[in-house]
Amino acid sequence: MSPRAGQTKKRTRIQAINEEKIVEAALEIFATFGFRGTTIDQIAQKAEMSKPNLLYYFRRKEDIYISVLRRTLEEWLTPLTALNPKGDPLEEISKYTALKLEMSRKNPTASRLFANEILHGAPMIEDVLKGSLKQLVDEKAAVIGNWVKEGKLAQVDPYHLIFMIWATTQHYADFKVQMHAILGKTVDAPDYYEQAGTTINAIFLEGLKPRS
């Protein structure tokens, strides 16, 4: 499902830039109209290019949609990839949580689009979820499991810990409208996410400290 231009032997800088423009434009359109309500013409207009030019890079609307979802997933998995088995467990988990929260702050649109795909059964990226995502989560769950066995963390299930971090941090992107309804302009305050991070870390890290 890779872009057509990306399959050529000599992919130019211009091709890479145009692919990025298309994916960025498509993110906004898909998030606004959904997959079914979005058209190639809308994406081309948003990307400021002709429809034939866009179709040089992506054959179908489905290919653009999958590229948007895969890029979002890759960005989200980068912080988890960085979880260092040799680092201090509490510091590593704290950094991971902070990075995930920052991603929700910076790109809530991508998070909401991805969540909507999951809620519909992930028909477009099920293979990715069961492949590269599962492989990475299994790997990092094993790291957390070793920390637990070594007495460096409390007796927690590694998978449920990862799920809790996802649920908590991505909530700030996926349910921002709900939080805005409750807190009003506070949600837009410069220190809002800093306060959220402090609270999340206080609860997670306190609960993860090994019991003597």
Side-chain angles (χ1 to χ4, degrees), residues 3 31 37 39 42-43 58-59 77 91 101 105 130 134 170 190-191 197:
T39 67
Q42 287 174 314
I43 299 172
F58 295 91
R59 290 186 179 89
L77 293 182
E91 289 182 5
L101 186 61
R105 182 186 74 82
K130 292 181 177 179
K134 175 174 169 44
Q170 288 167 214
D191 63 344

Side-chain angles (χ1 to χ4, degrees), residues 29-30 32 41 52 63-64 66 79 86 89-90 93 113 145 163 177 192 201 204 208-209 212:
I29 301 298
F30 283 130
T32 302
D41 292 299
D63 297 339
I64 305 174
I66 291 171
K86 298 181 180 179
L90 294 179
I93 291 171
L113 181 65
F163 296 158
V177 173
Y192 176 71
N201 271 334
F204 274 138
L208 289 172
K209 290 180 180 177
S212 55

Side-chain angles (χ1 to χ4, degrees), residues 7 27 29 38 67 177 197:
Q7 297 172 8
L27 170 59
I29 301 298
T38 293
S67 289
V177 173

Side-chain angles (χ1 to χ4, degrees), residues 9-48:
K9 292 182 179 180
K10 294 183 179 180
R11 185 163 172 262
T12 68
R13 178 173 171 272
I14 295 299
Q15 287 175 333
I17 290 173
N18 284 339
E19 287 169 13
E20 183 65 18
K21 280 178 61 179
I22 293 168
V23 171
E24 284 290 339
L27 170 59
E28 292 190 35
I29 301 298
F30 283 130
T32 302
F33 299 101
F35 175 73
R36 293 186 180 278
T38 293
T39 67
I40 291 288
D41 292 299
Q42 287 174 314
I43 299 172
Q45 183 178 10
K46 184 70 177 179
E48 299 180 338

